[in-house]
Amino acid sequence: MNRRSFIKNASYTGAGIAAAATGISCNSGASHPDQEQVKEISVKNNKNKPIAICTWGFTKANETAGKALDSGMNALDAAIKACAVEEENIKNTTVGKGGAPDREGNVTLDACVMDSNGDCGAVVCVENITNVAALARVVMEKTPHVMLAATGAEELAYKHGFQREDLLTESSKKSYQEWLKTSEYKPIINIENHDTIGVLCMDKNGDIAGACTTSGLSYKMKGRIGDSPIIGSGLFIDNEIGGAAATGMGEEIMKTVGSFLIVELMRQGKSPQEACEAAVKRIVAKNPNHTNFQVAYIAMNKAGETGSYCIHPGFAMMEYKNEHNKRIETVSYL
Ligand code: ASP
């Protein structure tokens, strides 16, 4: 039986949940020495669901997801709905419409989604489409592929009823003209900036899904892609274990496949907080230049525990639990 059909069957029998709760491998069915250290995840006792968490202080987006989950929406729909709030917010200069352009003046967006059954979709370098997280879902559901780029993704969008929009706003045009005066290209994430939105949702059934959407680095090189649309880097979900999402310097996140790493650390028994800390510390240990860039992670496990960690102060995670949306100032390495 392959993994996906196991999960499907397990959801009818409850076997998958029981296996996750005891740390018994769902793939082999046999216990493994590593798993002796696996902490028990009390899935059945999770009274906190539904839960939504997201990167940065995106209050409205996270509340939108939380309320949708409360009213019975599934985790994937809720995560994409939260992303749409920021994609359509033209004041947000790092996501969707109004996002900063590349160095040639073109706004190109990246996004991905991952569902509780392990399916995923992504789009990169997409112009003229605002809701790219929803478009990533179209790739996942309507094509045999995981990732589509540029005009291929844009054409798919039109076929599925997405509207063509000019993503450059008056304000982002002005900032770009200003930037052109020096054309200084230092790919350093401003730690005070409100950046990529990554959203992790757990619905009333206890299923976890996520979405991540961004315009990437401001004034990036043409064709540059960061971590955000890369499954395993900007986002990763394993519904038996939990999920993680990233923001910050994409190149550093990709080098350590950060979100996948966090989920694997949780599989080995770390709490979401411990796993986020270990993933940040791995980057710090490998890169003496870490004082010059920000990386931040958020994570959630199957028991409904959450965590976040970052290199520099100034990052916050939003958390919606028990009908309450709150901002959590994240502890930083520095
Ligand atoms: N991670 C994004 C990227 O590298 C940027 C961000 O989160 O601000 O494209």
Tab-separated table of all heavy atoms in Angstrom, residues 175-231:
chain	number	residue	atom	x	y	z
A	175	SER	N	8.430	53.810	-5.671
A	175	SER	CA	9.568	53.266	-4.908
A	175	SER	C	10.610	52.692	-5.855
A	175	SER	O	11.823	52.818	-5.621
A	175	SER	CB	9.119	52.155	-3.960
A	175	SER	OG	8.083	52.596	-3.170
A	176	TYR	N	10.155	52.069	-6.918
A	176	TYR	CA	11.090	51.489	-7.889
A	176	TYR	C	11.904	52.594	-8.568
A	176	TYR	O	13.130	52.488	-8.716
A	176	TYR	CB	10.310	50.672	-8.919
A	176	TYR	CG	11.145	50.164	-10.061
A	176	TYR	CD1	12.207	49.280	-9.841
A	176	TYR	CD2	10.890	50.571	-11.376
A	176	TYR	CE1	12.981	48.823	-10.909
A	176	TYR	CE2	11.654	50.106	-12.435
A	176	TYR	CZ	12.699	49.240	-12.199
A	176	TYR	OH	13.460	48.783	-13.242
A	177	GLN	N	11.230	53.697	-8.949
A	177	GLN	CA	11.945	54.822	-9.584
A	177	GLN	C	13.004	55.364	-8.627
A	177	GLN	O	14.112	55.694	-9.027
A	177	GLN	CB	10.964	55.963	-9.948
A	177	GLN	CG	9.919	55.609	-10.998
A	177	GLN	CD	10.523	55.153	-12.327
A	177	GLN	OE1	11.666	55.484	-12.643
A	177	GLN	NE2	9.779	54.358	-13.085
A	178	GLU	N	12.648	55.418	-7.375
A	178	GLU	CA	13.580	55.870	-6.345
A	178	GLU	C	14.793	54.930	-6.282
A	178	GLU	O	15.941	55.356	-6.271
A	178	GLU	CB	12.836	55.823	-5.013
A	178	GLU	CG	12.816	57.002	-4.083
A	178	GLU	CD	13.460	58.278	-4.563
A	178	GLU	OE1	12.871	59.034	-5.362
A	178	GLU	OE2	14.590	58.500	-4.101
A	179	TRP	N	14.494	53.623	-6.264
A	179	TRP	CA	15.556	52.611	-6.180
A	179	TRP	C	16.496	52.693	-7.380
A	179	TRP	O	17.709	52.546	-7.258
A	179	TRP	CB	14.944	51.203	-6.096
A	179	TRP	CG	15.990	50.129	-6.135
A	179	TRP	CD1	16.768	49.707	-5.092
A	179	TRP	CD2	16.405	49.373	-7.279
A	179	TRP	NE1	17.640	48.726	-5.523
A	179	TRP	CE2	17.442	48.497	-6.861
A	179	TRP	CE3	16.018	49.331	-8.619
A	179	TRP	CZ2	18.081	47.607	-7.724
A	179	TRP	CZ3	16.652	48.446	-9.480
A	179	TRP	CH2	17.670	47.597	-9.032
A	180	LEU	N	15.917	53.012	-8.561
A	180	LEU	CA	16.721	53.073	-9.786
A	180	LEU	C	17.847	54.108	-9.692
A	180	LEU	O	18.883	53.958	-10.343
A	180	LEU	CB	15.822	53.424	-10.979
A	180	LEU	CG	15.070	52.273	-11.646
A	180	LEU	CD1	14.212	52.799	-12.791
A	180	LEU	CD2	16.027	51.197	-12.149
A	181	LYS	N	17.620	55.129	-8.863
A	181	LYS	CA	18.627	56.189	-8.752
A	181	LYS	C	19.973	55.636	-8.297
A	181	LYS	O	21.020	56.107	-8.691
A	181	LYS	CB	18.153	57.275	-7.780
A	181	LYS	CG	17.013	58.092	-8.335
A	181	LYS	CD	16.609	59.175	-7.363
A	181	LYS	CE	15.348	59.853	-7.889
A	181	LYS	NZ	14.648	60.580	-6.818
A	182	THR	N	19.941	54.630	-7.430
A	182	THR	CA	21.215	54.029	-6.979
A	182	THR	C	21.374	52.610	-7.525
A	182	THR	O	22.484	52.129	-7.691
A	182	THR	CB	21.279	53.954	-5.443
A	182	THR	OG1	20.147	53.212	-5.002
A	182	THR	CG2	21.308	55.322	-4.806
A	183	SER	N	20.248	51.955	-7.762
A	183	SER	CA	20.222	50.544	-8.214
A	183	SER	C	21.094	49.663	-7.325
A	183	SER	O	21.729	48.727	-7.789
A	183	SER	CB	20.689	50.410	-9.661
A	183	SER	OG	19.844	51.112	-10.499
A	184	GLU	N	21.110	50.003	-6.053
A	184	GLU	CA	21.946	49.220	-5.136
A	184	GLU	C	21.304	47.854	-4.921
A	184	GLU	O	20.137	47.770	-4.549
A	184	GLU	CB	22.060	49.964	-3.808
A	184	GLU	CG	23.205	49.454	-2.990
A	184	GLU	CD	23.270	50.169	-1.647
A	184	GLU	OE1	22.249	50.666	-1.165
A	184	GLU	OE2	24.371	50.212	-1.082
A	185	TYR	N	22.069	46.820	-5.162
A	185	TYR	CA	21.515	45.468	-5.048
A	185	TYR	C	22.199	44.712	-3.928
A	185	TYR	O	23.268	44.150	-4.098
A	185	TYR	CB	21.674	44.717	-6.356
A	185	TYR	CG	20.979	43.359	-6.353
A	185	TYR	CD1	19.632	43.253	-6.023
A	185	TYR	CD2	21.674	42.216	-6.658
A	185	TYR	CE1	18.992	42.036	-6.009
A	185	TYR	CE2	21.046	40.971	-6.654
A	185	TYR	CZ	19.707	40.893	-6.331
A	185	TYR	OH	19.071	39.681	-6.313
A	186	LYS	N	21.572	44.766	-2.785
A	186	LYS	CA	22.099	44.028	-1.641
A	186	LYS	C	20.991	43.123	-1.182
A	186	LYS	O	20.057	43.576	-0.515
A	186	LYS	CB	22.456	45.006	-0.507
A	186	LYS	CG	23.795	45.647	-0.645
A	186	LYS	CD	24.221	46.186	0.730
A	186	LYS	CE	25.302	47.229	0.563
A	186	LYS	NZ	25.185	48.293	1.541
A	187	PRO	N	21.045	41.863	-1.551
A	187	PRO	CA	19.925	40.991	-1.180
A	187	PRO	C	19.912	40.663	0.312
A	187	PRO	O	20.218	39.577	0.737
A	187	PRO	CB	20.137	39.750	-2.038
A	187	PRO	CG	21.554	39.779	-2.444
A	187	PRO	CD	22.063	41.167	-2.312
A	188	ILE	N	19.570	41.690	1.080
A	188	ILE	CA	19.481	41.506	2.526
A	188	ILE	C	18.053	41.806	2.945
A	188	ILE	O	17.494	42.841	2.577
A	188	ILE	CB	20.473	42.451	3.247
A	188	ILE	CG1	21.891	41.937	3.004
A	188	ILE	CG2	20.167	42.543	4.726
A	188	ILE	CD1	22.976	42.815	3.561
A	189	ILE	N	17.470	40.890	3.680
A	189	ILE	CA	16.088	41.100	4.097
A	189	ILE	C	16.061	42.119	5.227
A	189	ILE	O	16.742	41.976	6.230
A	189	ILE	CB	15.485	39.781	4.603
A	189	ILE	CG1	15.568	38.705	3.540
A	189	ILE	CG2	14.073	39.977	5.125
A	189	ILE	CD1	14.493	38.698	2.528
A	190	ASN	N	15.279	43.155	5.033
A	190	ASN	CA	15.076	44.141	6.075
A	190	ASN	C	14.288	43.480	7.207
A	190	ASN	O	13.168	43.038	7.007
A	190	ASN	CB	14.280	45.308	5.474
A	190	ASN	CG	13.901	46.317	6.521
A	190	ASN	OD1	14.174	46.124	7.699
A	190	ASN	ND2	13.272	47.380	6.085
A	191	ILE	N	14.883	43.441	8.365
A	191	ILE	CA	14.248	42.681	9.435
A	191	ILE	C	12.966	43.317	9.958
A	191	ILE	O	12.174	42.676	10.604
A	191	ILE	CB	15.222	42.384	10.594
A	191	ILE	CG1	15.756	43.678	11.182
A	191	ILE	CG2	16.332	41.463	10.159
A	191	ILE	CD1	16.475	43.465	12.494
A	192	GLU	N	12.778	44.606	9.675
A	192	GLU	CA	11.522	45.234	10.125
A	192	GLU	C	10.413	45.057	9.095
A	192	GLU	O	9.266	45.381	9.335
A	192	GLU	CB	11.700	46.742	10.348
A	192	GLU	CG	12.258	47.081	11.715
A	192	GLU	CD	13.758	47.027	11.716
A	192	GLU	OE1	14.353	47.475	10.734
A	192	GLU	OE2	14.326	46.503	12.686
A	193	ASN	N	10.798	44.600	7.936
A	193	ASN	CA	9.836	44.521	6.850
A	193	ASN	C	8.776	43.453	7.102
A	193	ASN	O	9.051	42.454	7.721
A	193	ASN	CB	10.590	44.170	5.571
A	193	ASN	CG	10.010	44.871	4.383
A	193	ASN	OD1	8.945	45.456	4.477
A	193	ASN	ND2	10.710	44.799	3.280
A	194	HIS	N	7.582	43.687	6.601
A	194	HIS	CA	6.560	42.630	6.627
A	194	HIS	C	6.712	41.846	5.347
A	194	HIS	O	6.452	42.359	4.278
A	194	HIS	CB	5.164	43.241	6.717
A	194	HIS	CG	4.849	43.686	8.102
A	194	HIS	ND1	3.599	43.594	8.625
A	194	HIS	CD2	5.633	44.184	9.061
A	194	HIS	CE1	3.621	44.041	9.867
A	194	HIS	NE2	4.845	44.414	10.145
A	195	ASP	N	7.130	40.621	5.457
A	195	ASP	CA	7.550	39.893	4.270
A	195	ASP	C	6.535	38.843	3.845
A	195	ASP	O	5.345	38.999	4.019
A	195	ASP	CB	8.926	39.283	4.534
A	195	ASP	CG	9.968	40.364	4.731
A	195	ASP	OD1	10.005	41.300	3.930
A	195	ASP	OD2	10.724	40.290	5.684
A	196	THR	N	7.066	37.775	3.303
A	196	THR	CA	6.270	36.644	2.834
A	196	THR	C	5.242	36.183	3.864
A	196	THR	O	5.569	36.084	5.050
A	196	THR	CB	7.235	35.468	2.589
A	196	THR	OG1	8.162	35.899	1.614
A	196	THR	CG2	6.526	34.224	2.143
A	197	ILE	N	4.059	35.817	3.384
A	197	ILE	CA	3.118	35.176	4.314
A	197	ILE	C	3.099	33.666	4.064
A	197	ILE	O	2.845	33.206	2.955
A	197	ILE	CB	1.696	35.805	4.270
A	197	ILE	CG1	0.784	35.052	5.248
A	197	ILE	CG2	1.112	35.850	2.863
A	197	ILE	CD1	-0.522	35.762	5.566
A	198	GLY	N	3.410	32.938	5.139
A	198	GLY	CA	3.265	31.484	5.161
A	198	GLY	C	2.197	31.177	6.197
A	198	GLY	O	2.239	31.719	7.313
A	199	VAL	N	1.223	30.362	5.835
A	199	VAL	CA	0.091	30.073	6.729
A	199	VAL	C	-0.013	28.567	6.948
A	199	VAL	O	0.040	27.796	5.987
A	199	VAL	CB	-1.249	30.552	6.098
A	199	VAL	CG1	-2.383	30.447	7.107
A	199	VAL	CG2	-1.135	31.960	5.560
A	200	LEU	N	-0.177	28.173	8.202
A	200	LEU	CA	-0.400	26.759	8.529
A	200	LEU	C	-1.752	26.663	9.225
A	200	LEU	O	-2.000	27.397	10.189
A	200	LEU	CB	0.689	26.245	9.470
A	200	LEU	CG	2.133	26.386	8.987
A	200	LEU	CD1	3.105	25.974	10.098
A	200	LEU	CD2	2.374	25.540	7.740
A	201	CYS	N	-2.593	25.776	8.746
A	201	CYS	CA	-3.933	25.634	9.331
A	201	CYS	C	-4.192	24.202	9.750
A	201	CYS	O	-3.818	23.265	9.038
A	201	CYS	CB	-5.004	26.021	8.309
A	201	CYS	SG	-5.035	27.781	7.952
A	202	MET	N	-4.859	24.053	10.893
A	202	MET	CA	-5.386	22.748	11.301
A	202	MET	C	-6.902	22.906	11.417
A	202	MET	O	-7.387	23.768	12.157
A	202	MET	CB	-4.802	22.306	12.643
A	202	MET	CG	-5.370	20.960	13.098
A	202	MET	SD	-4.859	20.536	14.767
A	202	MET	CE	-3.186	20.021	14.482
A	203	ASP	N	-7.630	22.076	10.684
A	203	ASP	CA	-9.086	22.243	10.674
A	203	ASP	C	-9.750	21.424	11.789
A	203	ASP	O	-9.077	20.797	12.616
A	203	ASP	CB	-9.667	21.953	9.285
A	203	ASP	CG	-9.372	20.542	8.794
A	203	ASP	OD1	-9.212	19.634	9.638
A	203	ASP	OD2	-9.305	20.342	7.563
A	204	LYS	N	-11.081	21.443	11.794
A	204	LYS	CA	-11.813	20.770	12.874
A	204	LYS	C	-11.557	19.268	12.903
A	204	LYS	O	-11.674	18.630	13.946
A	204	LYS	CB	-13.314	21.027	12.716
A	204	LYS	CG	-13.720	22.405	13.194
A	204	LYS	CD	-15.225	22.574	13.174
A	204	LYS	CE	-15.600	23.881	13.866
A	204	LYS	NZ	-17.021	24.195	13.721
A	205	ASN	N	-11.197	18.705	11.734
A	205	ASN	CA	-10.875	17.268	11.696
A	205	ASN	C	-9.478	16.974	12.210
A	205	ASN	O	-9.075	15.813	12.291
A	205	ASN	CB	-10.938	16.745	10.249
A	205	ASN	CG	-12.349	16.733	9.725
A	205	ASN	OD1	-13.297	16.617	10.508
A	205	ASN	ND2	-12.493	16.885	8.425
A	206	GLY	N	-8.707	18.034	12.443
A	206	GLY	CA	-7.318	17.833	12.878
A	206	GLY	C	-6.368	17.680	11.698
A	206	GLY	O	-5.188	17.365	11.876
A	207	ASP	N	-6.851	17.934	10.469
A	207	ASP	CA	-5.982	17.862	9.293
A	207	ASP	C	-5.223	19.169	9.117
A	207	ASP	O	-5.779	20.254	9.336
A	207	ASP	CB	-6.810	17.576	8.031
A	207	ASP	CG	-7.307	16.140	8.012
A	207	ASP	OD1	-6.567	15.254	8.497
A	207	ASP	OD2	-8.435	15.904	7.545
A	208	ILE	N	-3.979	19.047	8.674
A	208	ILE	CA	-3.109	20.219	8.519
A	208	ILE	C	-2.803	20.455	7.038
A	208	ILE	O	-2.537	19.510	6.290
A	208	ILE	CB	-1.781	20.015	9.281
A	208	ILE	CG1	-2.054	19.743	10.755
A	208	ILE	CG2	-0.858	21.215	9.127
A	208	ILE	CD1	-0.812	19.379	11.558
A	209	ALA	N	-2.862	21.726	6.627
A	209	ALA	CA	-2.447	22.117	5.276
A	209	ALA	C	-1.834	23.504	5.370
A	209	ALA	O	-1.943	24.167	6.417
A	209	ALA	CB	-3.649	22.132	4.321
A	210	GLY	N	-1.172	23.943	4.297
A	210	GLY	CA	-0.534	25.257	4.361
A	210	GLY	C	-0.381	25.895	2.996
A	210	GLY	O	-0.562	25.255	1.954
A	211	ALA	N	-0.053	27.199	3.027
A	211	ALA	CA	0.180	27.950	1.791
A	211	ALA	C	1.223	29.032	2.076
A	211	ALA	O	1.363	29.478	3.223
A	211	ALA	CB	-1.121	28.583	1.314
A	212	CYS	N	1.923	29.413	1.028
A	212	CYS	CA	2.981	30.415	1.183
A	212	CYS	C	2.997	31.267	-0.089
A	212	CYS	O	2.928	30.718	-1.201
A	212	CYS	CB	4.303	29.660	1.350
A	212	CYS	SG	5.698	30.708	1.755
A	213	THR	N	3.066	32.597	0.039
A	213	THR	CA	2.994	33.459	-1.147
A	213	THR	C	3.854	34.704	-0.961
A	213	THR	O	3.922	35.246	0.140
A	213	THR	CB	1.512	33.808	-1.462
A	213	THR	OG1	1.445	34.576	-2.662
A	213	THR	CG2	0.846	34.560	-0.338
A	214	THR	N	4.507	35.149	-2.038
A	214	THR	CA	5.462	36.257	-1.914
A	214	THR	C	5.762	36.902	-3.261
A	214	THR	O	5.562	36.271	-4.313
A	214	THR	CB	6.798	35.735	-1.324
A	214	THR	OG1	7.631	36.829	-0.973
A	214	THR	CG2	7.559	34.852	-2.299
A	215	SER	N	6.269	38.142	-3.204
A	215	SER	CA	6.882	38.717	-4.409
A	215	SER	C	8.401	38.563	-4.319
A	215	SER	O	9.131	39.016	-5.189
A	215	SER	CB	6.484	40.188	-4.574
A	215	SER	OG	6.793	40.918	-3.413
A	216	GLY	N	8.864	37.961	-3.243
A	216	GLY	CA	10.305	37.679	-3.103
A	216	GLY	C	11.112	38.909	-2.739
A	216	GLY	O	10.567	39.908	-2.270
A	217	LEU	N	12.389	38.845	-2.952
A	217	LEU	CA	13.261	39.973	-2.618
A	217	LEU	C	12.923	41.186	-3.485
A	217	LEU	O	12.731	41.051	-4.687
A	217	LEU	CB	14.715	39.612	-2.917
A	217	LEU	CG	15.439	38.646	-2.001
A	217	LEU	CD1	16.851	38.435	-2.505
A	217	LEU	CD2	15.455	39.183	-0.582
A	218	SER	N	12.903	42.351	-2.867
A	218	SER	CA	12.674	43.575	-3.639
A	218	SER	C	13.816	43.781	-4.624
A	218	SER	O	14.983	43.601	-4.263
A	218	SER	CB	12.637	44.773	-2.689
A	218	SER	OG	11.650	44.578	-1.725
A	219	TYR	N	13.471	44.142	-5.842
A	219	TYR	CA	14.451	44.484	-6.883
A	219	TYR	C	15.437	43.346	-7.146
A	219	TYR	O	16.616	43.547	-7.417
A	219	TYR	CB	15.165	45.800	-6.537
A	219	TYR	CG	14.194	46.832	-5.996
A	219	TYR	CD1	14.395	47.461	-4.765
A	219	TYR	CD2	13.023	47.128	-6.698
A	219	TYR	CE1	13.468	48.364	-4.258
A	219	TYR	CE2	12.093	48.037	-6.195
A	219	TYR	CZ	12.321	48.634	-4.979
A	219	TYR	OH	11.397	49.521	-4.484
A	220	LYS	N	14.902	42.146	-7.038
A	220	LYS	CA	15.709	40.930	-7.261
A	220	LYS	C	16.167	40.849	-8.722
A	220	LYS	O	15.594	41.495	-9.606
A	220	LYS	CB	14.855	39.704	-6.914
A	220	LYS	CG	13.591	39.574	-7.764
A	220	LYS	CD	12.571	38.599	-7.166
A	220	LYS	CE	11.278	38.594	-7.971
A	220	LYS	NZ	10.202	37.830	-7.335
A	221	MET	N	17.165	40.011	-8.959
A	221	MET	CA	17.582	39.739	-10.338
A	221	MET	C	16.416	39.118	-11.088
A	221	MET	O	15.646	38.336	-10.512
A	221	MET	CB	18.729	38.722	-10.355
A	221	MET	CG	20.073	39.303	-10.037
A	221	MET	SD	21.341	38.013	-10.108
A	221	MET	CE	21.493	37.816	-11.874
A	222	LYS	N	16.315	39.419	-12.364
A	222	LYS	CA	15.268	38.815	-13.190
A	222	LYS	C	15.381	37.284	-13.101
A	222	LYS	O	16.479	36.736	-13.268
A	222	LYS	CB	15.454	39.268	-14.639
A	222	LYS	CG	14.384	38.780	-15.567
A	222	LYS	CD	14.600	39.332	-16.965
A	222	LYS	CE	13.472	38.864	-17.876
A	222	LYS	NZ	13.626	39.396	-19.225
A	223	GLY	N	14.269	36.638	-12.801
A	223	GLY	CA	14.264	35.174	-12.758
A	223	GLY	C	14.652	34.575	-11.417
A	223	GLY	O	14.582	33.363	-11.235
A	224	ARG	N	15.028	35.428	-10.457
A	224	ARG	CA	15.422	34.895	-9.137
A	224	ARG	C	14.200	34.288	-8.432
A	224	ARG	O	13.134	34.887	-8.354
A	224	ARG	CB	16.025	36.009	-8.289
A	224	ARG	CG	16.463	35.563	-6.884
A	224	ARG	CD	15.401	35.845	-5.848
A	224	ARG	NE	15.827	35.464	-4.499
A	224	ARG	CZ	15.008	35.384	-3.465
A	224	ARG	NH1	13.735	35.665	-3.599
A	224	ARG	NH2	15.453	35.026	-2.278
A	225	ILE	N	14.383	33.102	-7.904
A	225	ILE	CA	13.333	32.432	-7.131
A	225	ILE	C	13.895	32.180	-5.732
A	225	ILE	O	15.020	31.696	-5.592
A	225	ILE	CB	12.962	31.057	-7.745
A	225	ILE	CG1	12.646	31.167	-9.248
A	225	ILE	CG2	11.809	30.410	-6.977
A	225	ILE	CD1	11.401	31.920	-9.580
A	226	GLY	N	13.106	32.452	-4.725
A	226	GLY	CA	13.525	32.185	-3.352
A	226	GLY	C	12.964	30.869	-2.842
A	226	GLY	O	12.568	29.990	-3.618
A	227	ASP	N	12.918	30.764	-1.541
A	227	ASP	CA	12.451	29.526	-0.899
A	227	ASP	C	10.929	29.348	-0.936
A	227	ASP	O	10.421	28.227	-0.877
A	227	ASP	CB	12.861	29.538	0.582
A	227	ASP	CG	12.202	30.713	1.300
A	227	ASP	OD1	12.436	31.873	0.876
A	227	ASP	OD2	11.426	30.489	2.247
A	228	SER	N	10.222	30.486	-0.996
A	228	SER	CA	8.778	30.458	-0.706
A	228	SER	C	7.966	29.463	-1.542
A	228	SER	O	7.075	28.811	-1.011
A	228	SER	CB	8.191	31.867	-0.836
A	228	SER	OG	8.953	32.753	-0.070
A	229	PRO	N	8.239	29.319	-2.855
A	229	PRO	CA	7.429	28.361	-3.627
A	229	PRO	C	8.046	26.965	-3.668
A	229	PRO	O	7.530	26.094	-4.375
A	229	PRO	CB	7.453	28.977	-5.032
A	229	PRO	CG	8.810	29.602	-5.113
A	229	PRO	CD	9.151	30.078	-3.725
A	230	ILE	N	9.148	26.773	-2.938
A	230	ILE	CA	9.848	25.485	-3.009
A	230	ILE	C	9.349	24.594	-1.868
A	230	ILE	O	9.592	24.888	-0.686
A	230	ILE	CB	11.387	25.664	-2.894
A	230	ILE	CG1	11.888	26.711	-3.894
A	230	ILE	CG2	12.105	24.321	-3.069
A	230	ILE	CD1	11.714	26.361	-5.348
A	231	ILE	N	8.675	23.513	-2.259
A	231	ILE	CA	8.152	22.585	-1.252
A	231	ILE	C	9.331	22.015	-0.458
A	231	ILE	O	10.293	21.510	-1.033
A	231	ILE	CB	7.347	21.451	-1.930
A	231	ILE	CG1	6.103	22.028	-2.629
A	231	ILE	CG2	6.947	20.360	-0.921
A	231	ILE	CD1	5.070	22.663	-1.725
